[in-house]
């Protein structure tokens, strides 16, 4: 299995560059599915939760579309994202500004609870992408501070939440005033009856994507984490393998390069391991798997993407050498152990760099993971305790 890249999805260089600047290595599931559809101009309804990478899944292809033209008149914009709260609006606008940085496209956030004068002023010259709460946008429209006649794309983000918050009238009013000839996308954690009704009015003839949330932790998998400085991870892993001891382990790591390096570091400490990633041929990978299953190889260092299809009976232990994104990937990984009722153990080596992913994983599981300290490896840079229900925060207000 080879991994898809952002370029493979059809995104142009300035967007791929921005994504690389943001440190994203591979597209998430929803990005892989949604980006080509949105690029082709299709309408879409998608069931996906926050933390899946859904924002980039719609923002990137929309920016690509907008980059082919420009907003013509004052007080106009060409793409509209409606989102339920000020926090979410800021967060989406912040992401959009980050992805748009090599395109010259202008994004703006408008939301209630603050004076509207600065927002009106910012709208005057026109923007490319507007992110708004429905109530404030309706007010601005009523005051003729904004016009909808150049809108080409509509996104209803977190549609279920917008409905729960009572925005249905504001949304309906906005949607009926948008040009009928437009692309419409709807994202929602659940596709309830109410959401489907909204979709019927706002999103014509859509494609549908469902990113099913993986079942959370199973009781027979013992999960724990240990915090450690990044540069001490390989010696900690060697220590655990040799001292505990661990007779066999599937070790997940984020990058091919990282996998190769870790195999070398383990070898220096007398541990024989093999790397398993998309840079190795299919035949080699099949052989490696067979040897691992047969117990000829004891330690397999695999990238998440390559390891997706691995199915091994009676695997006692998986190790996350770094924490994956999105959180569901963690759930999939640990699900490789403890199969068919057997006991399994899932250990994660967590450094300060992994903190954001740790928050997303623990929020996804809805509980903190047990922390165990390994003597001699306490980190110089401690990893704080996660905030459950973590939502990555916008760092600064977009102008
Ligand atoms: P979202 O589900 O859109 O709220 O995204 C959650 C977080 O994931 C945000 O902080 C994004 O910056 C990050 N993110 C989005 N796509 C990727 C990716 N392909 N790789 C790594 N991180 C990502």
């Amino acid at each position: 299995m080879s991994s898809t890249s952002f370029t493979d999805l059809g995104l142009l260089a300035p967007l791929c560059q921005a994504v690389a600047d943001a440190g994203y290595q591979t597209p998430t599931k929803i990005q892989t599915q949604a980006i080509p559809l949105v690029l082709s101009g299709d309408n879409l309804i998608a069931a996906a939760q926050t933390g899946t990478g859904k924002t980039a899944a719609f923002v990137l292809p929309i920016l690509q579309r907008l980059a082919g033209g420009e907003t013509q008149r004052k007080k106009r914009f060409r793409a509209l994202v409606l989102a339920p709260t000020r926090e979410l609006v800021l967060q989406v606008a912040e992401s959009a500004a980050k992805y748009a940085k090599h395109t010259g496209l202008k994004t703006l956030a408008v939301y209630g609870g603050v004076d509207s004068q600065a927002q009106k002023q910012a709208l005057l010259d026109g923007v490319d992408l507007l992110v708004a709460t429905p109530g404030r946008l309706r007010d601005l429209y009523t005051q003729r501070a904004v016009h909808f006649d150049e809108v080409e794309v509509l996104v209803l983000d977190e549609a279920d939440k917008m409905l729960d918050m009572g925005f249905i009238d504001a949304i309906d009013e906005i949607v009926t005033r948008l040009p009928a000839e437009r692309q419409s996308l709807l994202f929602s954690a659940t596709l309830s009856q109410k959401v489907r009704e909204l979709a019927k009015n706002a999103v014509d003839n859509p494609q549908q994507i469902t990113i099913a949330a993986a079942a959370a932790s199973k009781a027979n998998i013992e999960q724990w984490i240990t915090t450690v400085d990044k540069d001490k991870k390989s010696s900690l892993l060697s220590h655990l393998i040799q001292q505990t001891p661990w007779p066999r382990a599937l070790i997940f790591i984020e990058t091919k390069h990282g996998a190769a390096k870790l195999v070398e570091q383990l070898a220096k400490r007398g541990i024989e391991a093999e790397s398993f990633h998309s840079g190795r041929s299919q035949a080699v990978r099949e052989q490696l798997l067979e040897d691992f299953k047969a117990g000829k190889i004891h330690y397999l260092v695999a990238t998440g993407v390559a390891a997706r299809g691995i199915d091994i009976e009676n695997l006692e232990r998986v190790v996350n050498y770094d924490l994956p994104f999105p959180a569901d990937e963690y759930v999939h990984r640990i699900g490789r152990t403890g199969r068919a009722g057997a006991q399994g153990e899932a250990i994660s080596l967590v450094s300060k760099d992994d903190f954001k992913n740790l928050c997303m994983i623990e929020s996804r599981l809805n509980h903190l993971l047990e922390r165990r300290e390994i003597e001699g490896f306490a980190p110089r840079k401690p990893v704080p305790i996660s905030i459950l229900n973590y939502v990555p925060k916008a760092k600064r207000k977009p102008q």
Side-chain angles (χ1 to χ4, degrees):
M1 221 186 312
S2 71
S3 61
T4 313
S5 70
F6 284 97
T7 314
D8 297 336
L9 296 178
L11 291 171
L12 298 174
L15 296 169
C16 293
Q17 184 57 49
V19 160
D21 297 347
Y24 305 171
Q25 314 236 0
T26 41
T28 65
K29 213 161 161 189
I30 183 130
Q31 290 163 2
T32 306
Q33 294 189 23
I35 290 173
L37 283 177
V38 180
L39 280 177
S40 73
D42 283 347
N43 287 351
L44 176 71
I45 60 176
Q49 322 224 344
T50 327
T52 50
K54 69 179 166 62
T55 314
F58 63 80
V59 169
L60 289 167
I62 289 175
L63 292 174
Q64 180 144 324
R65 173 179 179 146
L66 297 179
E70 54 188 55
T71 305
Q72 300 295 320
R73 281 168 297 170
K74 287 180 183 297
K75 301 184 182 177
R76 266 68 171 187
F77 53 94
R78 289 178 294 147
L80 171 62
V81 180
L82 289 178
T85 62
R86 167 196 167 125
E87 287 68 32
L88 194 68
V89 161
L90 281 168
Q91 199 180 302
V92 171
E94 161 89 2
S95 299
K98 182 166 75 178
Y99 304 142
K101 73 175 185 187
H102 301 298
T103 64
L105 293 167
K106 236 162 72 179
T107 62
L108 180 70
V110 302
Y111 43 83
V114 293
D115 183 71
S116 61
Q117 205 43 48
Q119 296 175 357
K120 288 180 184 163
Q121 194 60 36
L123 276 164
L124 258 187
D125 282 340
V127 298
D128 296 296
L129 176 99
L130 183 72
V131 190
T133 49
R136 173 53 58 99
L137 183 64
R138 178 171 58 178
D139 293 348
L140 291 169
Y141 180 82
T142 312
Q143 296 165 29
R144 308 187 66 77
V146 69
H147 300 281
F148 294 159
D149 51 348
E150 290 192 30
V151 174
E152 298 172 26
V153 192
L154 165 71
V155 182
L156 299 170
D157 191 18
E158 308 222 345
D160 47 351
K161 209 161 173 190
M162 288 201 284
L163 295 180
D164 289 345
M165 290 176 68
F167 281 133
I168 186 67
D169 291 343
I171 295 172
D172 275 347
E173 238 181 282
I174 292 166
V175 168
T176 51
R177 289 177 164 78
L178 296 175
E181 189 72 20
R182 63 163 195 270
Q183 186 175 19
S184 303
L185 317 171
L186 178 148
F187 290 79
S188 186
T190 56
L191 296 181
S192 63
Q193 192 51 38
K194 260 165 60 181
V195 172
R196 285 181 189 281
E197 265 162 41
L198 170 65
K200 217 159 70 192
N201 289 335
V203 191
D204 225 19
N205 196 17
Q207 303 274 356
Q208 187 175 321
I209 294 178
T210 301
I211 302 299
S217 329
K218 291 190 271 178
N220 58 330
I221 303 174
E222 191 181 342
Q223 301 175 62
W224 54 277
I225 65 173
T226 182
T227 58
V228 60
D229 287 323
K230 199 174 176 181
D231 59 352
K232 289 282 183 318
K233 279 189 178 181
S234 71
S235 70
L236 170 60
L237 178 64
S238 311
H239 173 87
L240 289 168
I241 287 176
Q242 289 169 325
Q243 302 302 314
T244 321
W246 290 344
R248 189 164 78 138
L250 176 59
I251 300 149
F252 287 104
I253 193 162
E254 285 302 282
T255 65
K256 279 190 243 185
H257 173 71
K261 190 166 142 202
L262 179 57
V263 166
E264 274 173 31
Q265 287 167 325
L266 291 174
K268 282 193 193 133
R269 298 190 171 94
I271 299 166
E272 260 183 69
E274 282 284 352
S275 65
F276 186 92
H277 54 70
S278 58
R280 309 200 76 169
S281 73
Q282 187 63 31
V284 168
R285 281 192 272 163
E286 276 166 24
Q287 187 61 49
L288 286 171
L289 265 189
E290 223 169 89
D291 291 351
F292 186 59
K293 284 183 191 173
K296 291 186 200 158
I297 296 172
H298 300 274
Y299 307 102
L300 200 59
V301 179
T303 57
V305 179
R308 211 145 278 167
I310 295 184
D311 187 12
I312 301 160
E313 296 281 307
N314 304 322
L315 183 60
E316 313 77 9
R317 192 164 284 106
V318 298
V319 179
N320 288 304
Y321 192 78
D322 29 40
L323 282 180
F325 172 87
D328 268 0
E329 179 69 22
Y330 173 87
V331 178
H332 289 303
R333 285 184 184 182
I334 67 164
R336 317 243 159 232
T337 179
R339 293 224 159 157
Q343 275 298 319
E345 193 177 21
I347 303 106
S348 302
L349 311 189
V350 182
S351 68
K352 192 142 188 278
D353 291 2
D354 296 308
F355 179 60
K356 188 170 125 184
N357 288 357
L358 179 67
C359 286
M360 289 200 253
I361 289 165
E362 292 184 322
S363 299
R364 168 75 179 82
L365 298 172
N366 209 18
H367 62 80
L368 296 178
L369 291 164
E370 180 192 339
R371 292 187 178 212
R372 294 190 192 168
E373 198 175 311
I374 309 296
E375 216 186 307
F377 290 93
R380 293 184 306 274
K381 296 183 195 158
V383 181
I385 302 296
S386 306
I387 311 137
L388 293 185
N389 290 324
Y390 172 75
V391 178
K393 276 265 154 45
K395 280 183 271 334
R396 64 189 152 76
K397 285 185 190 171
Q399 49 314 66

